[in-house]
Amino acid sequence: MTDTVPLTEKLLMDAGGWREMKAARQIHAAGKVAEAEYRDGVLSGLVQDRGKPLRVRVRVRSATNLENACPCPLSRREGAICAHALAVGLEILDPKGPSAAPPETAIETPGASTAAKTAAADDPWPAMTELATDDAEPARLFVVIPPNLAGAWERDRAMAGIEVELAGKRALLASAGKDRTLFLDARDAPLWQALKSLSPDAVPGMLALPRAAFLRLLDALAGHPRVGFGRDRAATIEVRPFRPALRMKDFTLRVDWPAGVVPLCEAGAEVAWVLDGDTFRPVAPGLPAGMRPVFGEGLRLDPALAVPVLEALEEFFEVPAETRAGLPEVLVPSVILDLEGSLNHLEATLRFDYADGARVRPAGSGKAEPVEVAAAPDRVFVTDPAFERRAAARLESLGFAGPDAGGRFALKDKPAILHFFAHGCSRLDPSWKTSAGERFAHARTKVEPVSATFDFQPGGGENWFAMAVEFATPAGEAIPRQEIQRLLQMGQNARALPNGRFAVLDPALVDDLSEAVADCDPRQARPGLFEIDHRHAAYLRETAEASGVAVSGKAPWTRAPAEKLAFGDLGDLAATLRPYQAEGVAWLQSLAERGMGGILADDMGLGKTLQTLAFLKSADGPSLVVCPSSLVGNWMAEAAKFVPSLKAVAIDGPSRMETLAAEGDTADLLVTSYALMRLDIDAWRGREFATVVLDEAQHIKNPDAQVTKAVNRLRARRRLALTGTPIENSVRDLWSIVNFVLPGYLGGRKEFAERFEKPLAAGSAPALQERLARRLKPIVKRRLKR
C-alpha cells in the first residue's frame, strides 16, 4: 500500500500524450524547470516558458485522473495535461536543476492581461500571444500540402504552404509583416513555435523541407484542424498512433507496412509517420532510439534476448502469431538445493536444471540475461534469469549470503542457523528438490521450533471474549511468557532444554502477534489473559491462518451471530444478480448478523448500488442513503427498477423533510445528498435507521470536514460505505471511512497515525502492510474488473 500514486514516465506519457511529452522533454532538457516537488499526490513546480515563470500544480488522484492547474492557455481552455506539468514530473524522475536563476518576473496567472512579444527587435517574425489583448489580432494558421507528397518524399524535398487568416481573409504567412501581434489559439501556438524553429530567419510562405524536417512539422500538426492537400481536400493529422505489424526472419525484426499506406520514415529521425489515404498517423511515438532500425534495415535480435525485446516492442506494434512463433522459449527449470552443515556453519548449494540433468546451471554462474541452453530446427530454448534471481532471493531472505561461482551460499551466525533449522526449512519452496547431508540431518534433530497458540478461555460476555497467547515446543514443553520476554530483551532466540536440545523462537512471529493483540485494544484481566471486543474475532482468525498459529478452545469466530436476523426473500431480484453480486449481498448480510459495518469497495461498474439495494430489500427497517447530488436520481431510478416494493423518497431540501414527517414517515428508503446532510444535520436529529449507506464514501476521507462530522452523528444499527477508491492518497483517508462504519475499530485517529500511517509513509514496511491488510480484510470487500 502506498501513500500516493507512483510517479512514472509511463503515467506522464499516458496523461499528456506523446506530443505534449515531447515538448516536456525539451523544456526539461533545457533546464527550464526551476522548482519541482511531488508530495501527497500533488505535483507542483515552477517552469520558465518564453521568459515567463508558470506556477504548475497537478493533483494526481489516480493513473487516469489528474487535475491540472497550470495557468497556460492549453490547461485553462481545455483542462488538458500540458507540457509544463509533464516537465515538472520529468524533473522529479530525473533532476537536472534550472539552467539559470529565473528572472524576476511576475508569475503568469489566468487573469493576466498583457503578453510580451516573443522575439527580439530584429526578428522578422510577427509577435505572437496566446492571451487576448487589445493590440493582438485574432488569427488562424492553415497548412497546405501538395497532393503529390509521396513523390516529393522520395526526392527528399516535401513542400508545405503556410497561410494565415486575418479579418476573414487568407494569405501567405510571409505577407503578414513583423509589426503586428497575432493572437493564436492552443492549436496554432505549438505550430507557430515549430515553424519558427524550422525557418528562424524568414517568415515562410512556401517551405521546402527535407524528410527529417517535414516529420518535425507533422509532429507539431498532430490534431490540427486546418491542414489540406491544396485548398479543396482536407487532410487529417491523427493523434492516435498507427500500429503496423512486425515480422521476424532470422531473428531480424522489420515493420511490415500494409498495402496502400505510404511510410514516412527517415534514418536518425525521432518520429515516424504514415500517410493512409488523406490521413497522417504517427507510428510508435516514444520508441527508444535503439529500436528504430525496425523502420529500415531491421533490428537484429540476440536469440537469448528476443522475448523481452519483443515484449517491449508490443507497446508500439502488433505482433502476429507467426512472429511470436519464432521466438525462443524461456524454460522454467527444476530447482536443486543441497544442504549440509552443523549448528555452527551451514552451506546451501543452489542449482537450476533446464534439461533433466543434461544442462544444470549453478546459481550466480551466468549473465543477468537469458542464455541459450538448447536448440531445435525451428526453436531456441533459453534460461529464465528472473526465476533464478527469485530463488536466490528466497535463500537470502532466510539469512544466507552468496552465491559464489559454484552456487554455494553460507550461513555462519549461530542464532540465524538455529532459526533456519527451526523455522526456515519449512519456508523453502516445496517444489524444490531439496536434499540434506548427514551432518545437517543430525544437527536438525537438536532443534525444536517454538510455535504459538491462541488459547480461547471459557466464558466471556455478550460482546467480548478472553484469550491468551501460549508458546510451546512440539514435545509439549511450554515456554512461559516471562521467558519469551527475557529472550527477546537479551537479543536471543533460543534456550537450552533439559533434553540437550534447543527451543527456538521466531522473533518476527512474536512481534507480529504482540502487535496484532495490541491492535485489538484489549483489557488485561490478569497478566497474559486478554479480554477483547468480539468485533476483532475475524482479524485474529486472519492472523492465525496467515501466521500458522494453532487455536485451542472455542474460537470466537465460530460463535453464533450477535443478532438473529431473518432476511427476506429477494424474489425475482435473485435471478438478476450475478454470482459475485450474490456473494456480495451474502457478505453484507453476514456483517449485519455480527453487528458490524463494512465497506463494499468493488471497482466502478461492478454493481455496488444493486448489491446494496438487494441487501436493503432483505433487511428490515428504514434505511438512509447519502450520496453526491449527481447520484440521487440514479439511486431513485435503480430502486424503482430493481426493488419497486421499497418505498423510496428523495430528500432534496428541508421542506421535503417536513412533508415526509407530515406523511407519517412511512418511507422504507430515504436518499439525500452530502450537501444537504452538511447543511441540515439538525433535521435528522432524533431519527434512527436500521441501515445508513454512504455512497462515494471518499467524500468523508477528511475526518475534520463538516460533512464527515454530520454523517457520524447519524443514528443507525448498522453502517455501510460504498467506494471504488478506498485509498486515494494515504491510509489516513481509509481511517475516516472505517471509523464511520465501525467506530473505534482502528483505534483513535492519533493512535492509528502512530501505529500505521506514519511508519508506512516513512518507507517500505511489508510486515506492517500485511498486518493492516489482515486488519481490513474482514470489513472490506473489494473485487476488481479483471
Side-chain angles (χ1 to χ4, degrees):
M1 176 180 311
T2 57
D3 289 348
T4 59
V5 177
L7 192 67
T8 65
E9 191 164 335
K10 184 178 187 305
L11 181 146
L12 298 174
M13 174 71 82
D14 292 344
W18 63 270
R19 187 175 66 178
E20 291 301 317
M21 191 63 168
K22 179 180 179 182
R25 289 195 176 102
Q26 294 172 345
I27 294 171
H28 177 237
K32 294 183 179 180
V33 181
E35 299 174 13
E37 182 181 56
Y38 186 50
R39 179 182 297 177
D40 296 333
V42 176
L43 178 66
S44 58
L46 184 66
V47 178
Q48 293 292 322
D49 183 36
R50 281 171 280 171
K52 300 176 184 178
L54 303 179
R55 181 65 68 180
V56 176
R57 189 176 187 276
V58 182
R59 167 72 70 176
V60 185
R61 300 188 180 278
S62 71
T64 56
N65 184 359
L66 291 82
E67 297 177 3
N68 188 14
C70 177
C72 73
L74 178 64
S75 175
R76 296 203 312 273
R77 295 176 191 173
E78 303 183 17
I81 304 300
C82 61
H84 310 114
L86 299 179
V88 174
L90 291 174
E91 177 68 14
I92 295 292
L93 299 175
D94 181 19
K96 293 185 181 299
S99 59
E104 296 183 0
T105 308
I107 302 297
E108 181 179 324
T109 65
S113 61
T114 61
K117 298 234 176 184
T118 62
D122 57 351
D123 190 337
W125 284 71
M128 184 275 289
T129 179
E130 295 178 68
L131 298 176
T133 61
D134 292 340
D135 61 343
E137 302 176 66
R140 296 196 303 168
L141 296 180
F142 293 78
V143 177
V144 180
I145 300 172
N148 62 340
L149 175 65
W153 184 263
E154 290 298 322
R155 296 190 299 272
D156 194 18
R157 191 170 180 82
M159 303 296 293
I162 312 300
E163 299 182 350
V164 63
E165 180 183 82
L166 290 165
K169 297 181 179 180
R170 284 174 60 177
L172 292 176
L173 180 60
S175 66
K178 62 174 294 185
D179 297 325
R180 62 199 319 168
T181 300
L182 306 183
F183 168 42
L184 300 179
D185 65 16
R187 296 291 188 187
D188 281 336
L191 172 59
W192 180 274
Q193 297 301 327
L195 291 171
K196 286 196 70 175
S197 69
L198 292 170
S199 179
D201 299 326
V203 181
M206 291 297 294
L207 276 174
L209 300 171
R211 285 194 285 253
F214 187 80
L215 290 174
R216 288 166 54 197
L217 177 62
L218 287 177
D219 212 16
L221 283 172
H224 198 283
R226 295 180 295 278
V227 185
F229 291 103
R231 287 200 168 195
D232 301 325
R233 192 171 119 214
T236 301
I237 316 294
E238 268 276 12
V239 174
R240 184 168 51 93
F242 181 72
R243 289 176 58 90
L246 289 178
R247 303 292 178 186
M248 184 167 65
K249 183 178 181 181
D250 298 328
F251 289 101
T252 298
L253 283 173
R254 291 184 178 85
V255 173
D256 185 15
W257 300 107
V261 306
V262 179
L264 305 176
C265 309
E266 174 69 1
E270 295 183 4
V271 292
W273 288 75
V274 296
L275 176 58
D276 185 4
D278 290 342
T279 300
F280 293 92
R281 292 178 63 184
V283 182
L287 183 70
M291 295 181 175
R292 291 177 194 151
V294 294
F295 292 126
E297 70 273 18
L299 178 63
R300 175 67 182 174
L301 298 181
D302 181 337
L305 298 176
V307 171
V309 171
L310 199 59
E311 287 177 351
L313 286 166
E314 278 187 292
E315 182 180 347
F316 308 98
F317 302 97
E318 298 296 332
V319 181
E322 54 268 31
T323 299
R324 193 177 300 280
L327 291 177
E329 181 177 340
V330 178
L331 297 179
V332 178
S334 300
V335 180
I336 304 170
L337 179 65
D338 300 322
L339 298 169
E340 186 56 287
S342 66
L343 295 181
N344 297 312
H345 182 88
L346 281 185
E347 284 191 359
T349 303
L350 184 65
R351 296 173 294 160
F352 304 99
D353 184 356
Y354 281 95
D356 295 328
R359 186 64 184 267
V360 178
R361 287 164 43 85
S365 64
K367 300 179 180 179
E369 296 82 18
V371 175
E372 183 178 334
V373 291
D378 57 347
R379 301 298 298 274
V380 174
F381 300 92
V382 296
T383 60
D384 189 342
F387 180 92
E388 295 181 10
R389 288 192 294 271
R390 289 194 298 270
R394 176 73 68 93
L395 282 183
E396 292 166 2
S397 70
L398 296 172
F400 283 89
D404 63 13
R408 287 183 293 273
F409 294 76
L411 188 58
K412 300 177 181 179
D413 179 66
K414 187 167 183 178
I417 291 173
L418 290 172
H419 184 272
F420 179 75
F421 275 124
H423 304 285
C425 285
S426 61
R427 296 174 187 171
L428 293 173
D429 192 321
S431 67
W432 291 5
K433 298 176 182 178
T434 303
S435 62
E438 291 183 6
R439 288 189 301 131
F440 181 93
H442 175 73
R444 192 173 184 185
T445 63
K446 300 292 185 180
V447 175
E448 293 191 13
V450 175
S451 58
T453 300
F454 285 162
D455 183 22
F456 295 101
Q457 304 290 320
E462 180 180 354
N463 296 316
W464 62 273
F465 57 89
M467 183 193 80
V469 182
E470 307 289 354
F471 294 90
T473 68
E477 177 82 21
I479 309 296
R481 177 176 52 84
Q482 298 86 345
E483 179 67 8
I484 296 289
Q485 294 301 320
R486 185 187 69 80
L487 289 171
L488 294 177
Q489 290 170 2
M490 296 177 63
Q492 299 177 358
N493 68 338
R495 59 168 277 191
L497 298 173
N499 59 10
R501 298 178 179 177
F502 291 92
V504 183
L505 287 172
D506 183 353
L509 174 63
V510 177
D511 287 345
D512 185 62
L513 298 184
S514 298
E515 294 291 344
V517 172
D519 288 340
C520 300
D521 192 23
R523 185 176 74 86
Q524 284 208 51
R526 62 175 187 271
L529 184 66
F530 305 99
E531 293 179 350
I532 299 175
D533 190 299
H534 198 276
R535 297 180 303 171
H536 302 295
Y539 169 48
L540 293 175
R541 178 192 63 206
E542 296 294 334
T543 299
E545 292 177 355
S547 304
V549 175
V551 173
S552 64
K554 185 172 179 58
W557 51 83
T558 62
R559 204 170 72 172
E563 294 186 60
K564 292 290 186 181
L565 300 179
F567 294 104
D569 185 12
L570 293 179
D572 295 339
L573 183 57
T576 302
L577 298 173
R578 296 182 178 182
Y580 74 87
Q581 293 172 332
E583 176 189 300
V585 175
W587 179 74
L588 293 172
Q589 292 173 341
S590 71
L591 286 176
E593 286 187 324
R594 288 180 281 142
M596 298 177 68
I599 303 172
L600 184 59
D602 288 350
D603 258 355
M604 183 178 67
L606 293 184
K608 294 187 290 293
T609 302
L610 178 58
Q611 294 172 69
T612 305
L613 286 170
F615 166 74
L616 296 179
K617 176 179 172 62
S618 72
D620 292 329
S623 301
L624 170 68
V625 170
V626 186
C627 62
S629 303
S630 59
L631 294 183
V632 171
N634 179 69
W635 272 93
M636 295 298 294
E638 293 283 291
K641 178 179 179 181
F642 293 109
V643 285
S645 59
L646 287 179
K647 181 181 178 182
V649 176
I651 304 298
D652 50 14
S655 60
R656 193 68 186 91
M657 290 288 294
E658 296 168 3
T659 302
L660 187 64
E663 291 175 354
D665 234 359
T666 58
D668 301 308
L669 174 64
L670 302 182
V671 183
T672 191
S673 68
Y674 286 105
L676 285 177
M677 180 61 61
R678 182 179 64 252
L679 296 173
D680 302 316
I681 185 58
D682 290 340
W684 300 93
R685 293 187 186 278
R687 304 179 65 90
E688 184 169 346
F689 298 94
T691 307
V692 169
V693 180
L694 301 188
D695 192 9
E696 298 291 347
Q698 62 270 20
H699 279 72
I700 67 161
K701 66 184 180 182
N702 179 3
D704 295 323
Q706 289 299 314
V707 68
T708 307
K709 296 176 179 178
V711 297
N712 278 321
R713 294 191 193 108
L714 294 170
R715 298 173 61 188
R717 295 201 302 273
R718 48 188 171 262
R719 296 175 171 192
L720 303 175
L722 313 180
T723 175
T725 54
I727 301 178
E728 286 192 310
N729 292 313
S730 75
V731 293
R732 183 192 308 121
D733 303 347
L734 187 61
W735 178 86
S736 185
I737 301 174
V738 171
N739 201 55
F740 167 78
V741 300
L742 211 56
Y745 181 74
L746 292 179
R749 181 177 175 184
K750 291 183 178 178
E751 177 190 356
F752 180 79
E754 293 298 326
R755 292 185 67 80
F756 290 99
E757 181 185 339
K758 291 180 181 179
L760 289 173
S764 178
L768 187 63
Q769 292 180 19
E770 198 275 335
R771 198 175 92 236
L772 181 57
R774 294 199 312 261
R775 192 95 174 92
L776 297 172
K777 187 175 179 181
I779 63 167
V780 179
K781 194 167 193 66
R782 179 160 176 77
R783 277 85 59 92
L784 305 180
K785 288 182 179 179
R786 65 177 179 268

